[in-house]
Amino acid sequence: METAYIEVHNLSKTYSAKNGNVEALKSVTLSIPKNEIFGVIGLSGAGKSTLVRCLNLLEKPDSGEVVIDGKNLLTLGKEQLRLRRQKIGMIFQHFNLLEQQNVLDNVCFPLEIRGIPIKQRKEKALELLQKVGLGDKAEAYPSQLSGGQKQRVAIARVLANEPDILLCDEATSALDPETTKTILNLLKSIYDSMGITIVIITHEMRVIQEICTQVAVLDGGTVQECGSVTEIFKNPKSRAARRLLLMRETEEMSDVG
Amino acid sequence: MWDETMIVMLLEGIRDTFYMTFVSTFFGYVIGLPMGIALTLTDKGGITPNRTVYRILDIVINVTRSVPFLILLILVMPLTKLIVGKSYGSTATIVPLTLAAAPLIGRMVESSLKEVSQGVIEAAISMGAKTSTIVFKVLIGEARTSLLVGVTIVLGTVLGYSAMAGVVGGGGLGDIAIRYGYYRYETGVMLVTLIFIVAIVQLMQVVGTFAAKKLDHRNQE
């Protein structure tokens, strides 16, 4: 197996809620190899979103380590972390585009953060928009786009910084099955054309099946099992994995109907 | 009664009212905008939570907001004299007006900035944006419609306060209304000034709403 690029050691995170504490992650250890499309699947409340948000420290874990390319992010200073984040792209369930900026300026935004001159910014952004099939939408505003188109803009935006890691937090969960497929195909073609490690968080087995090579099954804040997608589909060992596979079958039936 | 001096006086009153309202609102934002930004950033759930800073600002704003304007006006007279050199007239009124507007503006800015979705802010953090970039580009940029509506509301409020300052010789239309309507029982003059005040507020409201709509790209047809 290839060497791990992202390593998570004994990661724990507890949220304090009104009715007591919620342990979102309980000492999670996971290693994600370089240049893989790695899936993390679990039902809602399994802790998968917390896990991915810990990978770029949007969420600060209570204990444990997040090691990327040999460096523990938790030991980085504020400025170092900020610069490291520029190379860890993230896309979201609700796209999170700037609603008051047009599509082109949205894609320019990460370049602006890095202080790239305006002319180069626009050239690069247009090139990326063409890449995601939205070359003709540069002047449109997010409110004029469909969900799938918005996610394409978010993908163009995230690629602007040429990240080495792409985190996808339920990136297709707000989209219909057809659009999900096109977004996954886009991610796949990005993966094929540039060396990148993709981490996909989802509750849908078909997303894992479609695109991932390896998968970790998360339940109750712990990793139930982890391995190659084909292996887990063929021979699920944990109850959580079996339940998720069962859900996929019902999903497919409802799609037909 | 409606001779040239009266017309000149009314025109000057309009000019002074505009002058006081806009200059005070401007200085109010110079103080209130950073306050609103600081409140947003330091509140729990903000991007740089800081309980102490938030509490202090929160209390300062609550206290100053509770002082009735007329009392504030009298209370800060020594300060006004120190800054402007006298305690009456429209320029002098700018001092208490600014002090009354600033905490109101701080609150309005805070509430506008807090409307910006947490997700967009997180997206910017995940891109490695500096706090300053998030403040200007994300918070202010995304909340601009709401901020502009806020400016319109503040202008209306400050204009109302400026008319109150007429009681102590503050200048402007309010001053005229009180001198003629209240002290001399010339209701006609008072009504005319009132019509002007209503018209000005209306005008600012229309312009503000129009500009806010123009700048909003969230729900374009």
Side-chain angles (χ1 to χ4, degrees):
Chain A
M1 209 164 98
E2 290 168 77
T3 50
Y5 194 57
I6 305 172
E7 284 174 278
V8 166
H9 296 297
N10 299 321
L11 210 62
S12 295
K13 174 81 189 179
T14 302
Y15 296 102
S16 45
K18 267 178 236 148
N19 322 317
N21 293 341
V22 180
E23 273 186 280
L25 296 175
K26 296 176 200 163
S27 192
V28 169
T29 296
L30 198 63
S31 76
I32 299 174
K34 197 178 168 79
N35 297 339
E36 288 272 353
I37 304 185
F38 192 96
V40 177
I41 189 161
L43 296 168
S44 64
K48 55 194 189 303
S49 246
T50 308
L51 177 62
V52 76
R53 289 162 57 82
C54 281
L55 296 184
N56 61 0
L57 297 190
L58 273 184
E59 208 80 64
K60 287 250 152 56
D62 298 330
S63 61
E65 284 181 352
V66 179
V67 181
I68 292 181
D69 201 11
K71 275 199 199 74
N72 183 357
L73 291 193
L74 287 151
T75 62
L76 295 182
K78 203 177 164 228
E79 190 61 14
Q80 285 171 303
L81 175 63
R82 189 175 77 76
L83 294 174
R84 186 63 186 94
R85 275 177 175 152
Q86 295 181 349
K87 288 286 175 190
I88 306 175
M90 190 171 199
I91 57 174
F92 305 84
Q93 180 172 5
H94 299 295
F95 327 119
N96 296 345
L97 300 175
L98 296 166
E99 296 284 316
Q100 302 287 20
Q101 305 284 336
N102 68 22
V103 165
L104 187 67
D105 289 335
N106 263 288
V107 181
C108 283
F109 187 38
L111 299 168
E112 189 182 337
I113 290 170
R114 267 170 54 211
I116 310 285
I118 189 153
K119 200 163 164 281
Q120 281 164 263
R121 254 189 249 162
K122 299 226 153 153
E123 274 169 22
K124 172 115 193 183
L126 268 175
E127 190 189 307
L128 286 163
L129 281 173
Q130 264 144 20
K131 192 170 176 171
V132 300
L134 288 175
D136 56 334
K137 294 281 185 197
E139 303 292 321
Y141 285 89
S143 63
Q144 299 164 315
L145 303 179
S146 69
Q149 288 172 325
K150 284 185 200 172
Q151 199 58 292
R152 283 167 185 275
V153 176
I155 290 171
R157 176 172 76 172
V158 89
L159 293 180
N161 277 342
E162 286 153 12
D164 47 20
I165 295 169
L166 176 54
L167 308 174
C168 309
D169 187 5
E170 297 276 10
T172 57
S173 299
L175 306 173
D176 60 64
E178 214 41 55
T179 316
T180 296
K181 215 159 205 169
T182 62
I183 293 294
L184 293 179
N185 286 340
L186 178 61
L187 288 175
K188 192 92 174 53
S189 77
I190 288 161
Y191 172 76
D192 290 336
S193 66
M194 56 191 280
I196 191 166
T197 307
I198 302 182
V199 181
I200 291 185
I201 300 295
T202 182
H203 64 276
E204 294 176 304
M205 265 300 190
R206 57 178 158 196
V207 171
I208 302 286
Q209 189 180 22
E210 192 84 35
I211 189 171
C212 297
T213 46
Q214 294 202 39
V215 64
V217 180
L218 217 61
D219 192 42
T222 57
V223 178
Q224 301 293 318
E225 65 183 301
C226 185
S228 87
V229 171
T230 38
E231 185 54 36
I232 285 182
F233 267 76
K234 221 166 39 193
N235 183 20
K237 291 186 187 69
S238 63
R239 263 188 65 196
R242 281 198 291 273
R243 207 167 52 196
L244 285 158
L245 281 168
L246 208 67
M247 278 177 59
R248 179 190 62 115
E249 281 162 27
T250 33
E251 261 169 34
E252 275 169 0
M253 281 197 297
S254 65
D255 281 356
V256 174
Chain B
M1 180 180 118
W2 294 105
D3 53 6
E4 206 175 308
T5 42
M6 179 64 83
I7 291 165
V8 169
M9 186 184 70
L10 279 171
L11 288 175
E12 280 176 356
I14 293 170
R15 183 201 63 198
D16 288 349
T17 295
F18 269 111
Y19 165 66
M20 286 187 291
T21 306
F22 281 94
V23 174
S24 307
T25 303
F26 173 78
F27 284 120
Y29 270 92
V30 169
I31 303 170
L33 186 65
M35 277 172 116
I37 293 170
L39 282 167
T40 310
L41 294 179
T42 57
D43 196 7
K44 55 177 187 293
I47 53 176
T48 53
N50 185 322
R51 217 180 141 63
T52 320
V53 173
Y54 185 84
R55 285 300 294 164
I56 290 171
L57 281 173
D58 193 47
I59 290 168
V60 166
I61 286 180
N62 286 345
V63 169
T64 45
R65 291 256 293 133
S66 338
V67 180
F69 179 69
L70 215 48
I71 294 170
L72 181 81
L73 189 71
I74 296 160
L75 217 59
V76 299
M77 269 184 179
L79 179 70
T80 308
K81 229 171 191 160
L82 198 74
I83 296 173
V84 186
K86 55 180 186 176
S87 60
Y88 57 89
S90 37
T91 303
T93 311
I94 288 172
V95 177
L97 279 178
T98 301
L99 291 178
L104 168 69
I105 292 167
R107 274 284 179 250
M108 308 265 300
V109 168
E110 181 193 13
S111 96
S112 290
L113 297 185
K114 280 183 176 169
E115 284 169 25
V116 176
S117 99
Q118 200 58 33
V120 183
I121 297 167
E122 281 187 346
I125 295 173
S126 80
M127 287 177 219
K130 286 186 191 142
T131 304
S132 58
T133 312
I134 295 175
V135 167
F136 291 107
K137 190 82 184 184
V138 182
L139 291 178
I140 296 181
E142 289 293 289
R144 59 189 182 184
T145 309
S146 172
L147 286 168
L148 207 59
V149 171
V151 173
T152 311
I153 295 171
V154 171
L155 281 172
T157 309
V158 171
L159 190 136
Y161 284 165
S162 84
M164 252 190 263
V167 176
V168 291
L173 289 173
D175 195 21
I176 296 171
I178 285 166
R179 269 191 286 137
Y180 283 79
Y182 186 67
Y183 294 122
R184 297 197 203 166
Y185 303 104
E186 288 189 37
T187 317
V189 181
M190 193 179 74
L191 282 178
V192 171
T193 55
L194 194 65
I195 289 166
F196 277 125
I197 290 174
V198 171
I200 292 170
V201 172
Q202 196 62 35
L203 181 77
M204 292 190 308
Q205 194 65 49
V206 169
V207 172
T209 312
F210 177 77
K213 255 204 190 116
K214 261 272 182 259
L215 270 175
D216 195 1
H217 295 294
R218 280 173 303 181
N219 286 307
Q220 279 194 334
E221 286 310 310

